Amino acid sequence: MLSFLVVWLCFACAFAKDCHFTLELTWNTGSPDGFEREMIFVNDQFPGPTLEIEQGDWVEIQVVNKMPFNTTVHYHGIEQLNTPWADGVPGLTQRPIQPGATYTYKWHANQYGSYFYHAHSRGQIDDGLYGPIIVKPKAGIVKPFDRIAPAEVKLLEVAEQKIKPVILSDWRHTTSQRTWEIQLDSGVESALCMDSLLVNGKGAVDCWSREEIDKFTSPGIRPNLQQNNLTMTNKGCLPPEILELLLSQGTETNIDAIPPEVFDVCTPTQGSREVIKAPHSTNWLALDIISTAGIDTFAFSIDEHPMWIYAVDGHYIEPLLVNALSIANGDRYSVFIRLDKPAGNYGIRLASTALAQLIDTTAVLSYEGGYGNYRNATDDITVTSFPYTNQAGVNTTANVTFFQQARMKSFPPQFPQPAPEPDQTFILSLKTVGQSYIWALNSTPFDHAIDDSSPPLLYQPPVANNPGGNITITTKNNTWIDLIFVVTTINQPPHPIHKHSNKVFVIGQGQGSFNWSSVAEARRAIPQAFNLVTPPFRDGVATIPTTTGPTWLAVRYRVENPGAFLIHCHIQSHLNGGMAMVILDGVDEWPEVPDEYKDV
Ligand SMILES: *[C@@H]1O[C@H](CO)[C@@H](O)[C@H](O)[C@H]1NC(C)=O
Ligand SMILES: *[C@@H]1O[C@H](CO)[C@@H](O)[C@H](O)[C@H]1NC(C)=O
Ligand SMILES: *[C@@H]1O[C@H](CO)[C@@H](O)[C@H](O)[C@H]1NC(C)=O
Ligand SMILES: *[C@@H]1O[C@H](CO)[C@@H](O)[C@H](O)[C@H]1NC(C)=O
Ligand SMILES: *[C@@H]1O[C@H](CO)[C@@H](O)[C@H](O)[C@H]1NC(C)=O
Ligand SMILES: *[C@@H]1O[C@H](CO)[C@@H](O)[C@H](O)[C@H]1NC(C)=O
Ligand SMILES: *[C@@H]1O[C@H](CO)[C@@H](O)[C@H](O)[C@H]1NC(C)=O
Ligand SMILES: *[C@@H]1O[C@H](CO)[C@@H](O)[C@H](O)[C@H]1NC(C)=O
Ligand SMILES: [Cu+2]
């Protein structure tokens, strides 16, 4: 019925005022890492095609769901200014797109930079529904390139025009649906154990030796394992018994319900390897590094090539030169590398730094002349370059520098001076509730029955659609809001909290309990923990892990786009487990949903 649709339309909309894409979603077999499973393809591709857009365009994206289940598509980091109904969150901004149905998203590309689209329905992001979005800056946007190489600004502009997306992901051999069922059956957060890491959809299952696993086991967890006569599993994962001990609060679990291949059995595959080719005649290469990971936080580096980080989450910063990056779920970093080494192959290193698993992969940066015909990992790719980070994501020498968020400054400066006072402060308590896979962003797990709200929350008056005190934040338009994330229980990983719609300023963070009721009060006691002059400006921000004790993190944002927006942990298993809240922004200026959406 829908097969006559022309699917392959132009994916670059250069110089257009209106930009149209069709994304056809199918459920088919594929083997990105050499193991065949059912997965999601976008226009028969994995990852999905890159959407190239000019800043200022109106973008229309027709999503055709040819899969046997409901779905929605979210545009990560896109503000959805005055189009909150195009944000792609089921139950909040739309009804799910049913099998055979089509939904058309329309939004204004008012921002430039690096974004991505991904499924926002159940665990479907882990089944492969994601692809890059590049919004090319319009003329007149001030860029910080003269800070990098004053004599080569033109070359940097050219490199930026030809930027290549580098999608980093983790990959599992079981479908997201099966993974969720295993958690329900076992009572354990088994989703944490992945099978491979992928760069632009390519990778292989690369089983570590027992020696490597033991050598790189985190010293933080080693005593805990030893006390319980346990080791990291053959897949390099924390054993389920430890998850039960660390995170389940005495609830019943049934570890026997977990199939052995989920944690223990590692079967290597040949897979394939991503090779990023660069002509040697080019001085600079620009990359949009995007994490679509479901679980892992990554360390990322390119052998012998320092990176100039010039934009974070689609927004320019004062450029910082680093050797390596730590990338959390949903983060985007735009970087320049200078191609000043001899022609050849250089390793692109990706390693999990999450406590939950030791796992890595290596892709290749190849200068013209250095590469052969790489089809898969058995092909002859000789990488002899010197890595900045090892297979556990740790610096190989003392002088390797990692990007530090605390040093990042918006370019040009964004935060109003003097700093605005917040109109409301919300202190949110992050934790597991009962089982290790049930999570809360504020004491109470988000109820995913909200996903099926009909009509969606945005379509109802905001007084009628409050899903519950602990999981709803209600704000007025044009006010400033402080969100303080407090993590009091021990052994929690970093939680990469992603706020839909506009970005937040990261104004403070620290170790210890947050003993105050506001930022102003806390600043009087510990001013050094705050930056109200040049705070980082992002749409995702990770809480500090609670390895030794409680931690907290404070962000501030201005309400400028009324609508029903999700704020959630971007670790997929945490979101599935309830680590989310609804923000009803600007209830005094609540939008009227256009009729064309109401009936869909
Ligand atoms: C799919 O979406 C429809 C419409 O919202 C809903 O009635 C149905 O229950 C959903 N199906 C599943 C399996 O969630
Ligand atoms: C660990 O193993 C030792 C020796 O086999 C045994 O004495 C001890 O009770 C075991 N500890 C636990 C927590 O099972
Ligand atoms: C990998 O490439 C070799 C030839 O170089 C070929 O024989 C082999 O079948 C390929 N394997 C896969 C999984 O594509
Ligand atoms: C990695 O960096 C840390 C901090 O600078 C340093 O203490 C450590 O020695 C480095 N590791 C190696 C292997 O050089
Ligand atoms: C670290 O220092 C060594 C020795 O001086 C040098 O060869 C290497 O390039 C340096 N690495 C970085 C990342 O600067
Ligand atoms: C909200 O959280 C508090 C703990 O901070 C808890 O006592 C209360 O029961 C929760 N309310 C709901 C409705 O779950
Ligand atoms: C909401 O407030 C912003 C300023 O923060 C303003 O630009 C916008 O027009 C307001 N929206 C509505 C619908 O009033
Ligand atoms: C909060 O108070 C507790 C108990 O007095 C103290 O241990 C902790 O360090 C304080 N937190 C901070 C951030 O100072
Ligand atoms: Cu989380």
Side-chain angles (χ1 to χ4, degrees), residues 31 33-34 269-272 373-380:
S31 49
D33 67 358
T269 59
Q270 283 200 321
S272 55
N373 179 24
Y374 308 121
R375 285 176 301 268
N376 60 40
T378 60
D379 286 348
D380 178 30

Side-chain angles (χ1 to χ4, degrees), residues 53-303:
I53 295 162
E54 300 277 325
Q55 187 183 9
D57 283 350
W58 271 94
V59 184
E60 188 176 286
I61 301 168
Q62 189 178 36
V63 173
V64 184
N65 181 10
K66 292 193 164 182
M67 308 187 293
F69 40 77
N70 289 350
T71 195
T72 64
V73 177
H74 168 63
Y75 307 90
H76 187 106
I78 297 291
E79 199 172 340
Q80 300 295 354
L81 187 61
N82 303 322
T83 57
W85 42 83
D87 197 42
V89 179
L92 266 66
T93 67
Q94 69 170 99
R95 294 183 182 85
I97 315 173
Q98 296 184 53
T102 294
Y103 190 92
T104 303
Y105 297 92
K106 279 182 215 154
W107 43 265
H108 189 231
N110 54 312
Q111 314 142 279
Y112 63 84
S114 171
Y115 303 90
F116 66 108
Y117 57 92
H118 67 76
H120 219 299
S121 192
R122 314 287 153 124
Q124 289 168 23
I125 188 172
D126 287 348
D127 295 320
L129 203 177
Y130 42 78
I133 299 177
I134 299 173
V135 185
K136 304 226 157 139
K138 64 183 176 200
I141 295 281
V142 190
K143 301 175 185 185
F145 299 169
D146 58 335
R147 291 356 190 225
I148 298 170
E152 293 173 279
V153 169
K154 285 266 162 8
L155 293 175
L156 293 169
E157 296 252 10
V158 170
E160 189 195 33
Q161 275 294 319
K162 297 184 192 161
I163 197 158
K164 289 180 201 279
V166 181
I167 288 206
L168 311 178
S169 46
D170 43 17
W171 189 249
R172 221 184 266 116
H173 290 170
T174 45
T175 63
S176 64
Q177 177 62 33
R178 179 76 189 115
T179 300
W180 179 244
E181 287 161 8
I182 293 169
Q183 294 199 154
L184 293 181
D185 292 347
S186 65
V188 174
E189 193 177 33
S190 60
L192 293 179
C193 199
M194 307 300 283
D195 289 290
S196 56
L197 301 187
L198 307 178
V199 176
N200 284 340
K202 293 180 185 162
V205 179
D206 174 23
C207 305
W208 291 20
S209 67
R210 178 46 56 185
E211 290 68 36
E212 288 172 312
I213 292 173
D214 291 342
K215 177 177 167 196
F216 290 110
T217 295
S218 159
I221 198 74
R222 201 186 291 272
N224 226 318
L225 290 167
Q226 278 165 354
Q227 273 161 29
N228 295 286
N229 288 351
L230 295 166
T231 56
M232 298 297 270
T233 71
N234 291 329
K235 282 171 72 175
C237 293
L238 281 178
E241 293 83 356
I242 279 285
L243 296 176
E244 190 186 339
L245 286 169
L246 296 184
L247 293 171
S248 308
Q249 293 137 3
T251 48
E252 239 175 75
T253 56
N254 177 15
I255 287 173
D256 294 341
I258 306 173
E261 62 275 15
V262 172
F263 277 94
D264 285 316
V265 182
C266 190
T267 311
T269 59
Q270 283 200 321
S272 55
R273 197 197 289 270
E274 171 70 350
V275 178
I276 294 173
K277 296 177 182 179
H280 202 211
S281 53
T282 316
N283 290 27
W284 292 94
L285 177 68
L287 302 172
D288 266 341
I289 302 162
I290 304 168
S291 170
T292 63
I295 299 289
D296 289 318
T297 299
F298 298 128
F300 176 92
S301 66
I302 304 174
D303 297 355

Side-chain angles (χ1 to χ4, degrees), residues 285-352:
L285 177 68
L287 302 172
D288 266 341
I289 302 162
I290 304 168
S291 170
T292 63
I295 299 289
D296 289 318
T297 299
F298 298 128
F300 176 92
S301 66
I302 304 174
D303 297 355
E304 301 176 26
H305 289 77
M307 298 179 276
W308 277 104
I309 317 293
Y310 69 88
V312 177
D313 293 353
H315 194 86
Y316 291 128
I317 63 164
E318 297 274 355
L320 293 168
L321 185 65
V322 303
N323 302 115
L325 264 175
S326 171
I327 306 187
N329 321 54
D331 286 355
R332 286 96 60 216
Y333 293 92
S334 303
V335 312
F336 285 125
I337 55 173
R338 194 193 272 281
L339 302 175
D340 57 357
K341 297 289 183 305
N345 298 321
Y346 297 87
I348 298 179
R349 313 286 171 173
L350 184 63
S352 161

Side-chain angles (χ1 to χ4, degrees), residues 357-481:
Q357 188 169 15
L358 296 161
I359 188 169
D360 77 318
T361 195
T362 303
V364 176
L365 166 68
S366 193
Y367 289 17
E368 200 171 87
Y371 51 81
N373 179 24
Y374 308 121
R375 285 176 301 268
N376 60 40
T378 60
D379 286 348
D380 178 30
I381 310 177
T382 331
V383 176
T384 53
S385 47
F386 186 75
Y388 290 137
T389 49
N390 67 17
Q391 66 191 111
V394 176
N395 53 308
T396 49
T397 62
N399 55 354
V400 167
T401 54
F402 269 81
F403 173 80
Q404 288 173 279
Q405 181 181 272
R407 289 183 54 212
M408 133 187 188
K409 293 180 183 153
S410 270
F411 180 88
Q414 287 291 117
F415 198 55
Q417 295 296 322
E421 289 299 319
D423 297 283
Q424 289 188 86
T425 295
F426 297 91
I427 299 181
L428 310 176
S429 175
L430 291 72
K431 54 172 73 156
T432 52
V433 180
Q435 257 97 1
S436 60
Y437 68 93
I438 303 292
W439 289 89
L441 186 53
N442 185 30
S443 301
T444 306
F446 181 86
D447 177 0
H448 280 284
I450 295 168
D451 298 357
D452 293 316
S453 300
S454 192
L457 303 187
L458 177 66
Y459 295 37
Q460 308 173 42
V463 280
N465 63 9
N466 185 332
N470 288 352
I471 58 165
T472 313
I473 286 170
T474 301
T475 70
K476 289 193 170 165
N477 195 40
N478 199 20
T479 61
W480 284 91
I481 306 299

